């Protein structure tokens, strides 16, 4: 067994298959690190585009990959004019979903995920596809928040010298909202590590009521319902008493772990201890997401540990009852 650290994360390599999967993922991430497609043109509602990708997968299973044939059949089924192919085709091309008159493996893969109802995985795949389009990548980087997407679309498309059309802006915004991390649907009935990373605010919100018992056990006079949380970085929140600007504590979120195993839990808690300094704050709250269940739909528990300023601590594992 070999432990490899990749970008701050530890990867356990126990078999040749583990190594091959890691190499494949790193190759894909390297390929996705550079954008390839510079044009952007969309005058197609995103729901229609996704329905077409579902059809692409179905036709692929039947041995059909020709772009013209699949689009024509799709338009006929929905009783739409075949002239719409003129606005659909450039969009597919600019996303790298078609090449040399055929649908690409990426188009088939997204269609398969949509067809099987694996929506979170489809969103992740679309996100990587969008990042390969230079225009969309720039928009997503500009839009730090979901509410800023329309402003970013207008700004970037204008900078590219495009004459803006209302429908083009509208459909681009709608398409990006499907996959932008800050627009994540934070229903936590089925979770993935990526969803956890994109929904930490929701996790903190759901965890807060469960910390009251730990506060009381440690004789901390603060009540969780009177506290506010300000995100400082992707895994850290500053705690203040509602209505004040004074920071009296920190919430630290650890990396998700698989299943409840005592050695792993202790190791994860110990890593978070590196961010705790005695006497600096009145309280620290450590949160470690624990994934359980089937790969198709994992559920989540939380290991919560409250640490008093003098480093006295109490912990428990909770199962979230609200999504």
């Amino acid at each position: 067994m070999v432990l490899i650290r990749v970008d701050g994360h530890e990867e356990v390599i126990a078999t040749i298959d583990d190594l091959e999967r890691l190499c494949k993922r790193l190759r894909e991430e390297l390929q996705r690190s550079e954008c390839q497609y510079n044009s952007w043109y969309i005058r197609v509602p995103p729901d229609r585009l996704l329905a077409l990708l579902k059809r692409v997968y179905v036709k692929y299973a039947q041995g059909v990959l020709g772009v013209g044939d699949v689009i024509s059949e799709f338009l006929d089924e929905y009783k739409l004019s075949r002239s719409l192919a003129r606005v659909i085709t450039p969009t597919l091309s600019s996303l790298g979903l078609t090449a040399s008159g055929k649908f690409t493996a990426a188009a088939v893969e997204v269609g398969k995920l949509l067809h099987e109802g694996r929506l979170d995985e489809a969103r992740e795949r679309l996100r990587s596809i969008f990042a390969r389009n230079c225009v969309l990548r720039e928009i997503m980087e500009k839009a730090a928040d979901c509410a800023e997407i329309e402003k970013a679309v207008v700004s970037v498309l204008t900078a590219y010298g495009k004459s803006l059309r209302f429908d083009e802006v509208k459909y681009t915004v709608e398409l990006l909202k499907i996959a932008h991390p800050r627009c994540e649907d934070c229903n936590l009935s089925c979770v993935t590590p990526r969803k956890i990373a994109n929904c930490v605010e929701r996790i903190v919100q759901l965890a807060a009521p469960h910390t009251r018992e730990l506060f009381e056990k440690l004789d901390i006079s603060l009540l969780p319902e009177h506290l506010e949380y300000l995100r400082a970085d992707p895994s850290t929140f500053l705690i203040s008493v509602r209505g004040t600007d004074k920071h009296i504590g920190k919430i630290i979120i650890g990396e998700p772990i698989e299943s409840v195993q005592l050695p792993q839990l202790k190791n994860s808690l110990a890593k978070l201890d590196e961010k705790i300094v005695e006497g600096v704050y009145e309280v620290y709250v450590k949160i470690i997401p624990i994934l359980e269940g089937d790969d198709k739909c994992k559920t989540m528990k939380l290991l919560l540990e409250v640490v008093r300023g003098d480093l006295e601590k109490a912990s428990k594992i909770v199962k979230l009852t609200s999504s």
Side-chain angles (χ1 to χ4, degrees):
M1 182 179 293
V2 178
L3 193 65
I4 299 176
R5 183 172 290 275
V6 180
D7 193 24
H9 303 292
E10 291 181 347
E11 301 279 350
V12 177
I13 307 299
T15 67
I16 294 296
D17 288 342
D18 291 339
L19 181 59
E20 289 179 349
R21 276 194 294 270
L22 175 62
C23 291
K24 181 175 183 282
R25 180 167 64 80
L26 293 176
R27 280 196 302 270
E28 289 174 350
E29 290 179 0
L30 183 62
Q31 290 169 357
R32 290 197 293 267
S33 65
E34 297 296 334
C35 59
Q36 296 179 341
Y37 306 98
N38 291 290
S39 62
W40 182 241
Y41 173 100
I42 177 170
R43 295 176 190 171
V44 182
D47 56 348
R48 189 172 294 168
L49 196 61
L50 298 185
L52 173 60
L53 291 177
K54 281 188 186 180
R55 170 55 59 88
V56 169
Y57 169 66
V58 172
K59 299 307 291 184
Y60 170 78
Q62 298 171 357
V64 179
L65 269 181
V67 173
D69 293 338
V70 177
I71 291 177
S72 295
E73 183 177 309
F74 174 81
L75 293 173
D76 289 346
E77 180 181 341
Y78 282 83
K79 296 181 170 53
L80 298 168
S81 170
R82 287 197 174 189
S83 65
L84 287 175
R86 294 199 302 269
V87 296
I88 294 174
T89 304
T91 299
L92 295 171
S93 176
S94 66
L95 288 173
L97 296 172
T98 61
S100 302
K102 294 183 178 180
F103 286 99
T104 62
V108 175
E109 182 183 356
V110 174
K112 183 176 188 291
L113 294 172
L114 292 169
H115 182 75
E116 295 176 352
R118 295 155 62 186
L119 301 184
D120 285 339
E121 292 174 73
R123 283 167 60 99
E124 290 184 21
R125 190 67 184 95
L126 284 169
R127 193 174 295 139
S128 65
I129 289 170
F130 292 172
R132 297 182 71 177
N133 178 279
C134 301
V135 181
L136 291 189
R137 179 172 179 154
E138 188 172 340
I139 293 170
M140 287 193 289
E141 289 172 350
K142 260 185 181 296
D145 189 84
C146 191
E148 298 177 2
I149 290 181
E150 182 169 356
K151 181 180 177 182
V153 167
V154 171
S155 170
V156 172
L157 293 184
T158 300
Y160 272 81
K162 292 188 65 66
S163 177
L164 299 184
R165 290 170 48 116
F166 170 78
D167 59 345
E168 189 168 21
V169 171
K170 178 176 184 291
Y171 295 152
T172 302
V173 170
E174 290 175 356
L175 188 65
L176 286 176
K177 282 185 174 181
I178 293 171
H180 195 289
R182 303 299 291 171
C183 299
E184 184 79 66
D185 172 14
C186 289
N187 180 313
L188 299 174
S189 55
C190 288
V191 293
T192 62
R194 185 184 292 273
K195 174 165 276 195
I196 289 172
N198 293 333
C199 295
V200 287
E201 289 97 341
R202 180 61 175 156
I203 291 171
V204 168
Q205 179 186 24
L206 293 173
H210 296 284
T211 61
R212 180 168 185 155
E213 175 191 337
L214 301 176
F215 276 54
E216 291 173 346
K217 185 178 290 189
L218 294 171
D219 293 323
I220 297 173
S221 59
L222 301 166
L223 295 175
E225 56 265 35
H226 296 157
L227 303 178
E228 291 183 326
Y229 312 106
L230 174 66
R231 192 169 187 177
D233 61 47
S235 62
T236 308
F237 289 75
L238 298 175
I239 303 173
S240 61
V241 177
R242 186 171 290 124
T244 73
D245 295 326
K246 183 182 178 183
H247 298 138
I248 52 87
K250 270 186 181 181
I251 296 176
I252 311 165
I253 296 97
E255 292 289 331
I257 62 175
E258 296 279 348
S259 73
V260 181
Q261 296 181 6
L262 190 57
Q264 193 174 15
L265 292 179
K266 287 183 175 179
N267 183 52
S268 297
L269 288 171
K271 287 182 180 178
L272 298 187
D273 280 336
E274 297 171 5
K275 301 181 180 181
I276 294 176
V277 180
E278 182 177 3
V280 174
Y281 288 114
E282 294 180 46
V283 62
Y284 294 87
V285 178
K286 295 187 279 187
I287 301 177
I288 298 176
I290 304 168
L291 302 183
E292 295 182 319
D294 189 273
D295 285 341
K296 291 184 178 178
C297 183
K298 287 188 176 294
T299 58
M300 180 174 65
K301 292 180 180 178
L302 299 177
L303 171 61
L304 303 179
E305 184 167 273
V306 173
V307 183
R308 206 166 55 193
D310 61 1
L311 302 187
E312 187 71 21
K313 60 184 68 173
S315 61
K316 67 176 181 177
I317 293 175
V318 301
K319 185 173 179 63
L320 300 182
T321 57
S322 171
S323 60

